[in-house]
Amino acid sequence: MSSMHVVFRVDASVAIGTGHLMRCLTLADAMKPQNIQVTFVCRKSPGSMVELIGCRGYQCVCLDGPIGSVEADAEETTAALLSSFAGGVCWLVVDHYGLDARWEALMRPIARKIMVIDDLANRAHDCDLLLDQNFYAGFESRYVGRVADSTRCLLGPAHVLLRPEFLEACRTLRRRDGTVRRILVFFGGSDPTNQTLRVLTGIDALQRPDIRVDAVVGSANPHREDVRAFCDARPWASFHCQILNMAELIAAADLGVGAGGAAMWERCALGLPTLTVVFVDNQLQTTQDVATTGAIAYLGWASNLSSADYAAAIRGLLDRPDELVSISTEALKLIDASNDGAELVIRAMNEITNARLSG
């Protein structure tokens, strides 16, 4: 796919989180060695992380205001792209719950091929390639009737988009023995309800200064300074904001506390047994289905949990090292981190492009 142009239409915000953008950035980074030109189209809003896109070396075209109708977004996106790419773009990749087959059909005149990244399987798509990297019971047939028969679907955790640091970390991964010396707390890039501080308060009540805690927040987290102040006041807690070494922290931890979503796959890939919660409906089914495999310890809805609830759950696992070992083992079975999902996606894009050119 040399000399090809790929446009990502994706948003991040305090409200919707940063997972969509981060996985698109992972895929974009994997395209760099193949000389693929990448542009992002994003709406600017609190927590949109547009600056991060620029820091990673990509142009970002910003749309103003909140997303309106599907038709209005398609019109704005088309206008933004035509100003830079009069001849259209090779691939348009859309990762957005608010957009569907209507939007994709409206983008066909400017995009030669369309790829959709989805998790929900709750709406129709007009695309050439669809990626859903999540584990669900019966995930193989989730999009039957929602995409054309000709659409190529990449489904399940074999296609998880992991950054190179995770692929590297899996090669030197230690075997955990159930002893907890270090806990990793991470609730995604925004954590609007401040579960991070709730967990830290619960850990504080355990009075286990022998256990180190790494608290990770994103730059879109509106409570990050409160978390920083809490950690600064406690020698056992370390504060990290918008880090580049997440794989290193996951590999070093013995227990995790965090949300479902993209970060869940990163923890499973490195076998970190994790107390996992859900924030929003779109995380619920896949998190519950993963829990049935034994690959996580599922606590339910974050909104129902207090600091005392987190403390009790952590204390319980500290007393059950065999269970921690079992969770780690099942997590590693769920995702083969030696498998480069991003490369599989790019290969599929390549094959579809070549088929069009030769057809």
Side-chain angles (χ1 to χ4, degrees), residues 86-105:
V89 297
C90 303
W91 276 92
L92 175 61
V93 180
V94 54
D95 187 346
H96 204 299
Y97 294 154
L99 304 175
D100 57 18
R102 294 170 296 163
W103 185 91
E104 292 142 16

Side-chain angles (χ1 to χ4, degrees), residues 1-2 4 34 36 91 113 128-129 150 152-154 159 343-359:
M1 292 204 312
S2 61
M4 179 170 290
Q34 302 195 28
I36 300 170
W91 276 92
K113 294 293 178 184
D128 304 281
L129 178 64
S150 58
R152 183 164 175 180
C153 294
L154 304 178
H159 305 95
E343 283 301 316
L344 294 178
V345 172
I346 294 170
R347 188 181 308 160
M349 296 173 78
N350 231 336
E351 290 169 355
I352 291 169
T353 299
N354 292 336
R356 178 184 66 83
L357 293 174
S358 61

Side-chain angles (χ1 to χ4, degrees), residues 185 187 191 193-204 215 217 221 223 225-231 234 307 310:
V185 181
F187 286 92
D191 187 16
T193 60
N194 205 6
Q195 297 298 309
T196 305
L197 193 56
R198 200 173 294 182
V199 171
L200 291 172
T201 303
I203 295 174
D204 200 26
V217 302
N221 188 319
H223 310 285
E225 292 308 318
D226 292 336
V227 176
R228 183 196 302 272
F230 187 96
C231 292
R234 289 156 180 84
S307 293
Y310 282 117

Side-chain angles (χ1 to χ4, degrees), residues 294-327:
I296 60 172
Y298 178 51
L299 294 183
W301 284 93
S303 56
N304 295 334
L305 298 170
S306 65
S307 293
D309 293 326
Y310 282 117
I314 293 168
R315 184 186 297 111
L317 284 178
L318 294 179
D319 294 336
R320 299 194 299 274
D322 289 349
E323 184 173 338
L324 287 172
V325 171
S326 175
I327 295 170

Side-chain angles (χ1 to χ4, degrees), residues 23-38:
R23 66 185 175 191
C24 286
L25 281 169
T26 296
L27 183 55
D29 287 347
M31 293 175 175
K32 279 184 178 178
Q34 302 195 28
N35 194 32
I36 300 170
Q37 188 179 356
V38 170

